[in-house]
Amino acid sequence: VVRQPSMRVNMKIIKLFLTTFFVISFLICCNDESVNPPSNSTFYPLNVGNSWVYNSKTYDSLGVLINESQFEEKLPSTVLKDGQSVYEYDSPLYYVHNDKRYLQLKSDGLHILLGSLSGTVWYDESLRYKYPCVMNDFFTNGRNGTDTTFVTSLSESIVCEAGTFNCIVYKNLYKEDDGTSLKVVGYGYDYVSFSIGKVKSELYLINNNQQYIKSFEYSLKSYSLN
């Protein structure tokens, strides 16, 4: 008789625990089914020592393959900008004289910056990859904010030497001012895999016949993340 009230209380506690557990499990399952992970803190892995090696192909103005090679992108150091970590971005695709390119994750995605060698003076910044994102999102970037990037897919499978990756696809429109208006002179696709980085990229440029021909492409050969 003495134990019965205690058991009723214990049963109520157990039922409350089970109800709470199932509610939490349901919410977690709902989050797992979302298109994008709930946080962008690991969207693009930025740590000193991270590196990505790519196989590349270059084509002439007729689309004929003229060169195959490899190159590496890496993050050799970090500095602080407004109290936040900014990572030196060493890439042969972004050579600048007496300056450096940097990468930084912010609440709206991955930014690319141009700064001094010491990382104390900053000249330019633009959004590279928007995240979180939805289909048909777009934003301006590039030189003087004239280029435009569109989100064309939230889930595309890309196969390369480093493996198979599920990617967000960003389409970049490259524009130049011809004196009267901005003219699209090329476009490209960047395929970015969550927590891995850029997996593949393609560039199409306009030739003398006003045709867009694939000029350059590269895909992930190997990577090392800390």
Side-chain angles (χ1 to χ4, degrees), residues 54-58 67-71 216-219:
Y54 297 95
N55 295 317
S56 67
K57 296 180 180 180
T58 305
N67 185 56
E68 293 187 68
S69 62
Q70 295 179 3
F71 67 90
F216 184 58
E217 67 177 332
Y218 55 94
S219 61

Side-chain angles (χ1 to χ4, degrees), residues 43-184:
F43 162 59
Y44 208 97
L46 300 184
N47 283 300
V48 173
N50 284 1
S51 63
W52 300 261
V53 177
Y54 297 95
N55 295 317
S56 67
K57 296 180 180 180
T58 305
Y59 302 87
D60 66 14
S61 60
L62 297 177
V64 178
L65 178 65
I66 56 176
N67 185 56
E68 293 187 68
S69 62
Q70 295 179 3
F71 67 90
E72 181 181 23
E73 295 186 337
K74 54 188 176 181
L75 309 177
S77 66
T78 184
V79 297
L80 291 178
K81 180 179 182 291
D82 301 326
Q84 301 295 322
S85 294
V86 180
Y87 293 82
E88 179 187 351
Y89 180 35
D90 185 356
S91 169
L93 304 181
Y94 295 95
Y95 173 78
V96 286
H97 183 63
N98 290 332
D99 292 308
K100 286 182 181 179
R101 289 286 181 185
Y102 298 85
L103 296 178
Q104 182 179 29
L105 271 176
K106 292 189 174 183
S107 60
D108 60 346
L110 183 74
H111 287 239
I112 186 167
L113 304 88
L114 176 63
S116 63
L117 294 175
S118 61
T120 56
V121 180
W122 303 96
Y123 311 112
D124 184 51
E125 176 179 346
S126 62
L127 179 60
R128 180 69 173 169
Y129 302 128
K130 189 178 189 302
Y131 188 88
C133 58
V134 297
M135 275 292 293
N136 301 318
D137 260 352
F138 68 92
F139 52 95
T140 57
N141 53 21
R143 297 163 297 177
N144 302 314
T146 58
D147 298 338
T148 307
T149 298
F150 297 84
V151 177
T152 60
S153 175
L154 297 174
S155 180
E156 183 165 331
S157 182
I158 296 298
V159 180
C160 54
E161 187 172 344
T164 301
F165 303 90
N166 187 49
C167 297
I168 299 173
V169 184
Y170 298 89
K171 182 178 181 179
N172 311 297
L173 295 184
Y174 303 109
K175 304 175 184 178
E176 286 187 356
D177 191 342
D178 63 2
T180 58
S181 62
L182 290 174
K183 178 182 178 182
V184 176

